[in-house]
């Protein structure tokens, strides 16, 4: 009965009892992930995801590290995050945001993945100023 949100690009396999569904979130906070549609896996069974290294599971300890949204592999649908960002003039245009988990719902992080340089001004120019 557990529901897990994940990115389909990391999907490798699943057991036969797992069902997929689509979660559409129009909340402003969902845009930090760069999309409004999320894939969810529901039910008992196993879900296999691909990582670049060894995954880290947070939510077990009370102090979870902050991470880039691009490094999140999967999380419980009931998981909540807070935004950690600096608000100086330079950081607004050149830095991205980091998410810190609130609560003890499981979150799987790709600990060895490196974030791409698509934050701040670079991301704005790429998605809003350049033609499609």
């Amino acid at each position: 009965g557990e529901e897990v949100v994940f990115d389909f690009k990391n999907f490798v396999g699943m057991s036969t009892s797992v069902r997929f569904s689509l979660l559409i979130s129009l909340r402003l906070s969902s845009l930090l992930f760069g999309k409004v549609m999320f894939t969810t896996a529901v039910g008992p069974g196993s879900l296999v995801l691909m990582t670049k290294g060894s995954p880290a599971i947070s939510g077990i300890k009370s102090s979870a590290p902050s991470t880039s949204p691009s490094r999140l592999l999967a999380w419980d649908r009931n998981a909540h995050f807070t935004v950690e960002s600096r608000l100086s003039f330079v950081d607004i245009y050149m830095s991205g945001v980091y998410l810190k988990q609130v609560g003890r719902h499981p979150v799987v992080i790709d600990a060895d993945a490196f974030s791409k340089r698509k934050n701040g001004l670079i991301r704005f120019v790429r998605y809003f100023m350049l033609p499609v």
Side-chain angles (χ1 to χ4, degrees), residues 63-78:
S63 61
S66 60
T67 186
S68 170
S70 64
R71 293 178 60 193
L72 292 175
L73 289 175
W75 58 92
D76 186 271
R77 183 174 179 176
N78 298 318

Side-chain angles (χ1 to χ4, degrees), residues 3-53:
E3 189 168 3
V4 177
V5 180
F6 69 99
D7 195 349
F8 202 74
K9 70 178 180 181
N10 299 320
F11 176 74
V12 175
M14 66 178 188
S15 58
T16 57
S17 59
V18 175
R19 295 176 288 117
F20 286 146
S21 65
L22 186 65
L23 173 67
I24 298 174
S25 177
L26 299 175
R27 297 173 65 186
L28 186 59
S29 57
S30 296
L31 294 178
L32 289 174
F33 293 101
K35 55 187 174 179
V36 293
M37 295 190 299
F38 299 90
T39 308
T40 62
V42 183
S46 298
L47 179 67
V48 181
L49 300 174
M50 178 176 53
T51 64
K52 296 190 186 311

